[in-house]
Amino acid sequence: QVQLVESGGGLVQAGGSLRLSCAASGRTLSRYAIGWFRQAPGTEREFVAVVTWSGARTSYVDSVKGRFTISRDSAKNTVYLQMNSLKPEDTAVYYCAAGWATNWGALQSPDEYDYWGQGTQVTVSS
């Protein structure tokens, strides 16, 4: 079992920054990759970024490359999503999720994730 709790969402103006946190607990965290997804009203859940628990591998959706950075602090069992140069189209509920790291090539699909947090709202005003 893995438990995930997101925090750090809020309201920010376009061009601003936010840092989301995903606090993880469980006995087998090293076997998992942690991904961030987002979902705006009326849309499907969208992959944003993923990192292995070791931090050795990361992947991003093209629309956030150069603006978002995913990282992890293994001592704190926490994964971060640093979001800079935010745009109104980044507005969504952001979720972190845990999926088997051995399925790296498939980890852009939400179907590959076994555990999900409750989500945190990010709103970017224009």
Side-chain angles (χ1 to χ4, degrees):
Q1 284 281 350
V2 175
Q3 294 80 41
L4 303 169
V5 179
E6 302 98 332
S7 61
L11 174 64
V12 64
Q13 288 187 332
S17 298
L18 282 174
R19 189 178 77 161
L20 305 183
S21 298
C22 174
S25 59
R27 293 188 294 177
T28 58
L29 290 174
S30 63
R31 301 179 183 180
Y32 287 91
I34 304 297
W36 284 97
F37 288 77
R38 63 187 179 186
Q39 189 168 21
T43 69
E44 294 186 351
R45 197 163 293 190
E46 176 192 29
F47 169 78
V48 175
V50 62
V51 63
T52 53
W53 194 252
S54 68
R57 302 183 74 177
T58 60
S59 179
Y60 299 89
V61 68
D62 286 346
S63 61
V64 307
K65 287 180 179 177
R67 300 190 298 124
F68 291 11
T69 302
I70 190 169
S71 62
R72 97 283 177 260
D73 184 334
S74 56
K76 296 183 177 180
N77 282 358
T78 300
V79 172
Y80 302 101
L81 186 67
Q82 177 67 44
M83 306 186 295
N84 299 328
S85 302
L86 282 161
K87 304 175 181 179
E89 51 263 44
D90 294 318
T91 295
V93 177
Y94 283 71
Y95 300 88
C96 66
W100 285 109
T102 53
N103 295 336
W104 183 257
L107 286 174
Q108 295 195 8
S109 169
D111 296 337
E112 295 298 317
Y113 291 80
D114 300 310
Y115 303 99
W116 292 84
Q118 83 287 352
T120 186
Q121 176 71 47
V122 172
T123 303
V124 184
S125 64
S126 58

